[in-house]
Amino acid sequence: MRTEGSAPVNPDPAFWRGRRVLLTGHTGFKGGWLTLWLHRLGARVTGIALPPASEPNLYALARMDELCDSHVVDIRDARAVAQRIRRAEPEIVFHLAAQALVRAGYEDPLATYAANVMGTAHVLDALRGLESVRATVVVTTDKVYRNLEQAWPYREDDALGGHDPYSASKAASELVIASYRDAWLCAQGVAVASARAGNVIGGGDWAAERLIPDAVRCWQAGKALPIRRPQAIRPWQHVLEPLGGYLRLAETLHARPASAGAYNFGPHTHEAATVRQVIEQARQAYGHGDVLWGDGTEGPHEAGWLALETARARVALGVRPRWGLEASIDRTMAWYRRQHEGAHARALCEAEIQAFEAARS
């Protein structure tokens, strides 16, 4: 058990060296960064996912196919998921594959539920009877909580819910996770945890309808960035913050299966910030960029205020934020600027991971 005042802990290369890891969603933004970090730690990674959803994308630019055994698999296909997972015989599973956008959930709710609820069930069902696996981390979201727009952060035992299809699908997947853990996997010796992370930023994200990627696209093209809800408050964090947490969580589950359960990963509560604050800092770091500020009335409902209590991750895992909001934004914008100027995406990511591991919060 870690203590509140101890230094943050890095993933242990001795644990990961040669370890067989199954990662869903490795062609995505967070999945790509996690693939690279696992490879640096010496893990043997098998990735299953759909092809990258954007162009450009981190998977191609960083040549992630050189770092893992990559397979195109739709997590909505139960048979294909089971076959690939069982062939890989993983010791550790990270499930990141998902439909991850709020507005896309409104546009196609059935596809969102199919990917996020049944996709999670398919991955966990493939682990039943699989003797190799010992720890599984399923990534959901900070939006799994029934958001009352309250003025205090959500804890892991707060009520689940979801107004929009994306949030509801992730809350439902939490019930699926708990059911598979309690009904089968715990007795099988598989420790299962869900990881609820706040809004992540970092270089290499080109997904549509995300704040920083939208800003980079607009400003590189010399266009003004439209902002729908400048006063919305979110727990922003650099992508390496939750990924480091996921790695530490998997190590802890393997060593102490009783640690299974839900974990929040996010910045210090006081560092939750408005969209306006993030964009103003991003514009300053980027050097220029026009913005069209909305009044918060455009588009479907989205939560106005959200923050997470992360004491459990601090105490149980030794995970604490290392880069504050300003540093996270500055590093993110520098990544995009350098990549646009010709730097290699993988080298940029490796330098960021090295800097993060050296940081002491």
Side-chain angles (χ1 to χ4, degrees):
M1 177 79 62
R2 304 296 303 176
T3 63
E4 288 277 2
S6 57
V9 181
N10 284 324
D12 181 8
F15 174 85
W16 292 103
R17 192 172 300 116
R19 187 81 62 179
R20 297 188 307 279
V21 178
L22 188 287
L23 170 60
T24 76
H26 68 294
T27 60
F29 165 53
K30 289 173 72 176
W33 278 91
L34 185 53
T35 298
L36 198 153
W37 203 345
L38 283 165
H39 181 266
R40 281 173 53 85
L41 290 167
R44 295 160 54 191
V45 181
T46 297
I48 64 174
L50 292 175
S54 68
E55 182 58 47
N57 61 81
L58 183 61
Y59 180 78
L61 290 174
R63 299 200 299 270
M64 296 293 183
D65 60 326
E66 299 174 356
L67 310 181
C68 65
D69 181 18
S70 179
H71 301 273
V72 174
V73 177
D74 189 333
I75 59 170
R76 294 171 294 184
D77 185 337
R79 183 177 180 182
V81 168
Q83 288 178 341
R84 185 51 59 189
I85 289 178
R86 288 166 183 164
R87 287 174 185 169
E89 296 186 326
E91 300 166 78
I92 308 291
V93 173
F94 291 100
H95 176 42
L96 276 68
Q99 192 299 97
L101 301 172
V102 171
R103 286 169 72 88
Y106 276 112
E107 293 166 4
D108 195 345
L110 291 181
T112 299
Y113 289 121
N116 295 351
V117 183
M118 292 309 300
T120 297
H122 295 159
V123 170
L124 294 176
D125 198 68
L127 305 183
R128 290 200 295 144
L130 186 61
E131 295 182 358
S132 62
V133 67
R134 285 294 173 265
T136 298
V137 176
V138 182
V139 176
T140 59
T141 177
D142 58 353
K143 298 172 182 64
V144 298
Y145 297 105
R146 183 160 60 90
N147 196 319
L148 304 175
E149 304 286 345
Q150 62 190 21
W152 56 86
Y154 290 97
R155 303 177 65 169
E156 288 88 348
D157 57 358
D158 282 331
L160 301 177
H163 180 283
D164 64 273
Y166 168 72
S167 301
S169 72
K170 285 295 193 174
S173 74
E174 289 277 355
L175 299 179
V176 170
I177 295 163
S179 173
Y180 269 89
R181 178 175 57 234
D182 297 342
W184 294 289
L185 297 178
C186 180
Q188 185 180 312
V190 182
V192 181
S194 63
R196 305 166 180 175
N199 292 49
V200 297
I201 60 175
D205 187 5
W206 280 280
E209 302 290 344
R210 283 192 182 144
L211 187 62
I212 295 298
D214 284 349
V216 170
R217 274 188 291 267
C218 286
W219 295 343
Q220 285 182 349
K223 299 178 181 179
L225 169 68
I227 296 295
R228 299 188 304 273
R229 291 179 171 82
Q231 298 310 311
I233 296 174
R234 296 289 186 271
W236 310 93
Q237 59 184 328
H238 192 277
V239 64
L240 292 179
E241 303 278 9
L243 294 185
Y246 304 164
L247 290 166
R248 283 289 302 153
L249 177 54
E251 294 174 16
T252 302
L253 293 172
H254 191 276
R256 300 196 306 273
S259 300
Y263 290 80
N264 287 338
F265 296 95
H268 295 297
T269 302
H270 68 273
E271 287 208 315
T274 66
V275 170
R276 181 183 288 274
Q277 289 173 290
V278 171
I279 288 301
E280 292 289 11
Q281 179 64 33
R283 179 161 57 177
Q284 178 179 331
Y286 195 72
H288 62 84
D290 294 328
V291 183
L292 299 174
W293 301 106
D295 61 6
T297 61
E298 180 188 352
H301 172 273
E302 295 183 48
W305 196 95
L306 179 60
L308 298 178
E309 171 57 65
T310 59
R312 187 180 190 196
R314 292 197 306 272
V315 174
L317 309 177
V319 171
R320 292 212 317 274
R322 306 188 189 199
W323 291 338
L325 179 63
E326 183 176 335
S328 297
I329 296 171
D330 288 351
R331 285 182 171 276
T332 297
M333 301 313 291
W335 193 104
Y336 282 109
R337 186 171 59 250
R338 291 167 186 162
Q339 189 276 330
H340 188 64
E341 292 168 352
H344 195 281
R346 189 192 297 180
L348 292 172
C349 292
E350 289 176 337
E352 287 287 84
I353 293 171
Q354 185 174 4
F356 183 82
E357 290 176 333
R360 307 307 293 169
S361 78

